[in-house]
Amino acid sequence: MNDIQSNPSPSSYNSASISPALQDVDLSQRNTNNTYALSFEQSRHWQDVFWLAVFIVHLGGLGFVSVVLGLNRFMKNDRLNIDKYTYVILENHRGRTEDYWPLYAVAGGVGAFLGWTWLLLLGSQANHMMKVSVHLLTTYLAVISIFCFWAKQYFWGTAFAVGAFMQFLYVISVIDRLPFTMLVLQKAVKMTWSLPKVMSIACAFTLVMLLWMAVWSFGAAGVVASSMGDSGRWWLLVVLSVSLFWTGAVFCNTVHVIVSGIVFLVLVHGGQGTASMPPNSLMKSLRYAVTTSFGSICYGSLFTAAIRTLRWEIRGCRSKIGNNECLICFIDFLFHLVETLVRFFNKYAYVQIAVSGKSFNHSARDAWELFQSTGVEALVAYDCSGAVLLMGTLLGGLITGTGVGVWTWIRSSDRVLMLGSTSMLMGMILVGLAMVAVEGAVTALYICYALDPLLIHRWDVDFFNQMSEMLHQRLQHRSARGRQVLTRTTSIDLHIPN
């Protein structure tokens, strides 16, 4: 039982002023900090090379396929004589790539605009922007559902209605966590905006992603314009969408590694301009991220997002569960299964990858063991910053998808779902590239707090005090929950006949 574990006394973290124990600073923690700082300067070995090769081969293959599919319908029907291979699933409709490619260009432009706007507004109105993303997403899903029913798209209307309802239930279940979450996000934004060169990295990766999307959307437009039936087009679009999702996740996590690594170094060394700060740290972090550590990023991008989402959902169910013993056992089984996966796939691995250049699984395991040994995992589990940032990403994707969908409906109503859904994915990725800069700072803050709370105290005393107080409360809550579980288990054992 993960809830019943030996955690350090919260008194060492919970103090309005630093206790004598923290003032003296444990020597092992200082040695750990120095080790991380020195490892950033050491030569690195290539990690997870297999997944790097898979990603590069996939990128080259999908790029080639996208160009072929787009050219086949560009300015001329069946330019490359591909239709003879798809005659079984042909239909009468024929189109041109240039009929749909401009719509994808609009999706890319809207997504990039929304992402950059988020970055600008987060710097001045972080709290308001996060609240908007949390509450507006539910409303937006409900409105889209109404329009789908009005257009007699009953399946999608039901899907968006269920999505709005689930989003509403999730917000209600975590409403008490939002004040602390907003505090963490505000501090992460403060740290990110104090590093303008880091922000420029996020913008640069957005431009690179737009260039890749130009190639990807050329192929997607060719698929939409092809003479294949709907089933054939949908299958090809699903393959292209999975490829774009993985590529977008890799780009986002590359930015995550760069941002979290720089934030970590700034906190460890006491500021960006200190003499102990490694020279050219940003360029070194960028070089490591796109060379020796890129394989680890490709590997982690395959699984981390899905496992994080599953963990949020199970934790939400677990916190609201009743007294049904069978349901409790089933949810606990799923909980422990997901917690085991989280040990090897968690976003905090990216900080370790950035600073020490370890493999993904090694980094994820080290980060999780650090959290559990210090008790900070209780604070990480309570925080919803990742979910709030995901809501902003989903909202940006929905705005992009519905905007393109409305324009498509005016021009060609039978292609609305194809163009709308793929444009939504493009919007999510581009907005996510902006959001991940903040998420990278959040992960670095937690890693630094677990390694040495004085690192946070030196940076922001008020934030240190608030984190320490919340950690004290969460550890007390876990202890109380552990006693309840133990009491319930003992009660069951007493009623089982020998």
Side-chain angles (χ1 to χ4, degrees):
M1 283 180 272
N2 287 346
D3 282 338
I4 311 175
Q5 57 179 313
S6 58
N7 291 319
S9 173
S11 60
S12 62
Y13 293 89
N14 180 35
S15 164
S17 61
I18 303 180
S19 66
L22 281 180
Q23 285 178 339
D24 294 336
V25 185
D26 182 73
L27 182 60
S28 63
Q29 284 187 319
R30 283 300 188 192
N31 289 338
T32 302
N33 296 345
N34 293 333
T35 300
Y36 274 97
L38 290 172
S39 63
F40 185 78
E41 293 291 323
Q42 295 174 351
S43 60
R44 302 190 179 201
H45 302 289
W46 289 76
Q47 302 289 350
D48 297 310
V49 178
F50 172 77
W51 293 103
L52 171 62
V54 170
F55 179 76
I56 291 176
V57 170
H58 138 267
L59 210 61
L62 263 293
F64 175 76
V65 170
S66 295
V67 171
V68 169
L69 291 173
L71 282 177
N72 189 55
R73 289 284 167 181
F74 188 67
M75 304 293 293
K76 181 182 178 181
N77 287 333
D78 200 22
R79 177 188 295 272
L80 303 179
N81 198 24
I82 294 178
D83 282 357
K84 65 181 181 180
Y85 299 108
T86 58
Y87 67 92
V88 176
I89 49 177
L90 291 177
E91 63 174 18
N92 293 326
H93 180 277
R94 292 173 181 263
R96 300 279 180 85
T97 299
E98 60 267 26
D99 295 338
Y100 304 106
W101 201 21
L103 295 171
Y104 282 120
V106 171
V110 171
F113 172 77
L114 290 174
W116 286 334
T117 302
W118 270 107
L119 273 178
L120 291 173
L121 292 177
L122 282 174
S124 57
Q125 302 291 333
N127 196 33
H128 295 298
M129 292 303 296
M130 295 304 171
K131 288 180 179 178
V132 165
S133 65
V134 170
H135 298 294
L136 186 58
L137 180 59
T138 305
T139 305
Y140 202 89
L141 286 168
V143 170
I144 295 176
S145 173
I146 293 171
F147 276 106
C148 286
F149 282 119
W150 176 74
K152 297 183 179 179
Q153 295 287 340
Y154 300 114
F155 172 80
W156 291 105
T158 302
F160 282 117
V162 171
F165 181 67
M166 295 298 291
Q167 166 68 8
F168 176 75
L169 288 181
Y170 179 78
V171 172
I172 293 299
S173 67
V174 300
I175 196 72
D176 58 324
R177 306 184 191 182
L178 291 181
F180 177 73
T181 296
M182 294 303 176
L183 171 69
V184 174
L185 289 172
Q186 284 177 2
K187 297 303 179 180
V189 169
K190 172 187 172 183
M191 172 58 80
T192 306
W193 273 89
S194 69
L195 305 168
K197 290 184 179 180
V198 170
M199 302 295 286
S200 65
I201 291 292
C203 294
F205 270 83
T206 302
L207 290 175
V208 175
M209 191 70 229
L210 279 171
L211 292 176
W212 172 249
M213 282 183 173
V215 176
W216 180 91
S217 61
F218 186 65
V223 171
V224 175
S226 69
S227 59
M228 288 185 289
D230 281 347
S231 59
R233 277 197 295 268
W234 273 114
W235 275 111
L236 280 175
L237 285 176
V238 167
V239 172
L240 288 174
S241 296
V242 171
S243 169
L244 183 63
F245 180 82
W246 188 20
T247 306
V250 168
F251 274 64
C252 287
N253 289 328
T254 303
V255 175
H256 192 149
V257 166
I258 296 169
V259 174
S260 61
I262 295 301
V263 171
F264 179 91
L265 290 174
V266 167
L267 290 171
V268 166
H269 292 279
Q272 190 178 15
T274 58
S276 61
M277 186 76 176
N280 301 320
S281 55
L282 179 61
M283 295 310 299
K284 287 180 180 178
S285 183
L286 174 61
R287 186 175 77 247
Y288 294 152
V290 298
T291 54
T292 55
S293 296
F294 196 62
S296 299
I297 295 171
C298 296
Y299 174 49
S301 300
L302 278 173
F303 308 106
T304 307
I307 292 173
R308 282 171 57 195
T309 304
L310 185 60
R311 186 171 187 251
W312 290 335
E313 296 298 331
I314 290 178
R315 280 189 176 274
C317 293
R318 200 166 180 254
S319 63
K320 299 297 179 182
I321 203 168
N323 294 320
N324 188 316
E325 295 293 341
C326 292
L327 186 58
I328 289 173
C329 291
F330 177 68
I331 294 296
D332 277 347
F333 169 75
L334 292 179
F335 175 79
H336 293 306
L337 177 62
V338 171
E339 289 296 295
T340 301
L341 293 174
V342 166
R343 183 179 294 274
F344 296 97
F345 298 99
N346 63 76
K347 62 182 180 180
Y348 301 96
Y350 296 120
V351 185
Q352 305 267 13
I353 290 172
V355 180
S356 60
K358 299 175 183 177
S359 67
F360 183 86
N361 284 148
H362 191 179
S363 299
R365 187 173 63 251
D366 286 353
W368 208 247
E369 288 175 356
L370 172 66
F371 285 150
Q372 291 195 319
S373 64
T374 58
V376 176
E377 194 271 333
L379 200 60
V380 170
Y382 185 74
D383 177 34
C384 300
S385 56
V388 171
L389 292 172
L390 178 61
M391 292 175 196
T393 301
L394 288 173
L395 182 61
L398 286 169
I399 293 173
T400 304
T402 51
V404 172
V406 169
W407 189 12
T408 307
W409 184 74
I410 295 172
R411 295 182 56 180
S412 178
S413 60
D414 59 336
R415 297 292 184 267
V416 171
L417 291 178
M418 291 182 182
L419 286 159
S421 57
T422 47
S423 297
M424 183 180 75
L425 178 59
M426 291 174 65
M428 285 176 57
I429 290 171
L430 291 168
V431 175
L433 276 167
M435 295 291 186
V436 79
V438 179
E439 189 172 29
V442 171
T443 57
L445 289 174
Y446 277 118
I447 288 287
C448 286
Y449 186 75
L451 276 174
D452 183 358
L454 273 179
L455 298 175
I456 303 299
H457 182 275
R458 182 172 56 187
W459 174 61
D460 191 317
V461 177
D462 290 337
F463 183 46
F464 166 80
N465 293 332
Q466 289 168 308
M467 287 188 76
S468 300
E469 177 62 30
M470 183 54 67
L471 178 58
H472 177 64
Q473 294 177 13
R474 297 316 303 167
L475 291 177
Q476 285 185 326
H477 173 77
R478 283 203 164 190
S479 297
R481 182 177 176 84
R483 287 193 295 270
Q484 291 176 358
V485 173
L486 186 60
T487 301
R488 185 170 65 238
T489 304
T490 304
S491 176
I492 293 172
D493 290 340
L494 290 173
H495 287 84
I496 296 176
N498 293 328

